[in-house]
Amino acid sequence: ITYFGFRKYDQIISAQGKKLAHRSKQCALGEMLSYIGHQWRQPLNALSMTIQNIELQSKLGKLDDSLINKQVTAANKNIQYLTTIIEDWRALLTSGTTRKTIELRDSVSRAIGIVHPVLEQNRILIDNQITGPIYTHGFANDLVQLTVNVLLNAKDALINCDHKSIIRLSSRWEDAFVVVEFQDNGGGIPPKLLTRIFEPYLTTKEDSAGTGLGLYLCRQIAENLDEGEVWAENREFEFDGKRYYGACICLKFKPASEENSGEC
């Protein structure tokens, strides 16, 4: 291969990488707007009911200061919830340009809070067993974004299940590394896809239901962490005395001590 041929090949690969990154961002934005819309629906309905109730009580001549204060308090509560949703998703998209110390338990809790309304609507139970502070280095919100992606991917696998739907989050030490496991009981990933599940555009869902980029983004995020890697397994687990089977997304990274926190 000539030097110029190699340069041309390199330019093509680089252009394809940029297109893939752009497509990833577009899909992530589209999915984000979809989930924001879903989470806004309930508080907006509550605000609408509050306004209608004030109007009705006014027509009936029963609108007094006590009722107004009660309705205003309810309205403000829903408005604050709407604001919190926007701030959570806005923070999720802000990764920054400098690596810093990020903490696992807090990141996972924030991620669960972001997607909890969607999981609750689909009657999916979250069994979060991650305890104790565990630190690593990465970009801000890396662990939040990864957890959100994995939870939403598991939700898609569980949404049509005819049994109790569970997602278990746990962590363990493996030598000098931390392994975080996201286990569901959705039946598992087809064996032939286990080693390819993190490839871009690979999806087990119908074309209209998945972009194939959620787990691909998880791999990119994992590689931002200290010696980070991610893989998938199918396994059994026990919950409330019953045995279940499903996919387990495993994240492994080198932890950082709290004393070594800060930007790097």
Side-chain angles (χ1 to χ4, degrees):
I1 301 176
T2 66
Y3 171 77
F4 294 103
F6 176 81
R7 289 293 298 167
K8 183 64 176 179
Y9 177 79
D10 184 59
Q11 289 172 3
I12 291 173
I13 295 298
S14 178
Q16 289 177 340
K18 289 179 181 178
K19 288 180 181 179
L20 181 59
H22 181 66
R23 172 66 173 160
S24 300
K25 290 178 181 178
Q26 284 184 320
C27 291
L29 181 60
E31 291 183 2
M32 180 197 74
L33 292 175
S34 172
Y35 287 114
I36 288 176
H38 175 83
Q39 289 177 278
W40 270 41
R41 195 166 294 120
Q42 182 176 348
L44 283 176
N45 286 338
L47 281 172
S48 177
M49 293 295 295
T50 297
I51 294 171
Q52 292 177 28
N53 189 39
I54 291 174
E55 182 181 22
L56 176 62
Q57 297 301 323
S58 177
K59 289 180 179 179
L60 295 175
K62 297 181 179 181
L63 191 63
D64 55 21
D65 291 343
S66 175
L67 182 58
I68 290 176
N69 289 335
K70 181 179 179 180
Q71 296 299 319
V72 168
T73 299
N76 284 333
K77 183 177 180 181
N78 282 288
I79 290 171
Q80 181 60 43
Y81 178 66
L82 292 171
T83 302
T84 300
I85 291 172
I86 288 294
E87 289 301 314
D88 284 344
W89 283 100
R90 184 187 66 82
L92 186 59
L93 294 177
T94 306
S95 61
T97 57
T98 305
R99 297 178 80 249
K100 58 187 295 186
T101 301
I102 50 180
E103 202 275 311
L104 175 65
R105 180 178 57 181
D106 176 67
S107 298
V108 167
S109 296
R110 287 173 55 202
I112 292 173
I114 289 173
V115 301
H116 180 263
V118 179
L119 300 179
E120 185 177 46
Q121 186 198 33
N122 290 284
R123 299 180 180 180
I124 297 173
L125 173 67
I126 291 289
D127 178 25
N128 183 13
Q129 299 184 359
I130 295 177
T131 60
I134 299 175
Y135 300 89
T136 188
H137 290 118
F139 294 104
N141 298 307
D142 267 356
L143 290 175
V144 182
Q145 177 74 73
L146 184 146
T147 303
V148 166
N149 286 359
V150 173
L151 291 179
L152 294 180
N153 192 75
K155 183 266 299 180
D156 291 337
L158 293 168
I159 199 168
N160 294 318
C161 288
D162 56 1
H163 52 68
K164 186 173 186 177
S165 299
I166 306 162
I167 304 176
R168 169 177 289 174
L169 290 75
S170 61
S171 62
R172 58 183 172 84
W173 287 90
E174 186 177 282
D175 298 325
F177 290 83
V178 172
V179 178
V180 185
E181 298 177 341
F182 303 87
Q183 173 79 60
D184 67 57
N185 64 333
I189 301 167
K192 64 180 180 180
L193 297 180
L194 270 176
T195 58
R196 301 181 54 221
I197 198 67
F198 297 99
E199 294 179 7
Y201 302 118
L202 181 68
T203 177
T204 58
K205 300 183 278 290
E206 296 295 330
D207 290 343
S208 60
T211 62
L213 290 170
L215 292 181
Y216 167 70
L217 292 175
C218 288
R219 188 184 71 183
Q220 290 185 314
I221 292 169
E223 291 172 353
N224 286 337
L225 307 177
D226 283 350
E227 300 183 47
E229 60 177 304
V230 63
W231 69 93
E233 301 176 358
N234 290 328
R235 63 169 68 163
E236 285 189 344
F237 69 103
E238 183 175 325
F239 182 81
D240 282 349
K242 295 183 178 181
R243 303 293 297 178
Y244 295 96
Y245 180 82
C248 183
I249 304 299
C250 305
L251 168 68
K252 184 177 181 180
F253 59 82
K254 188 72 174 287
S257 64
E258 188 175 2
E259 290 75 15
N260 294 330
S261 63
E263 297 183 351
C264 61

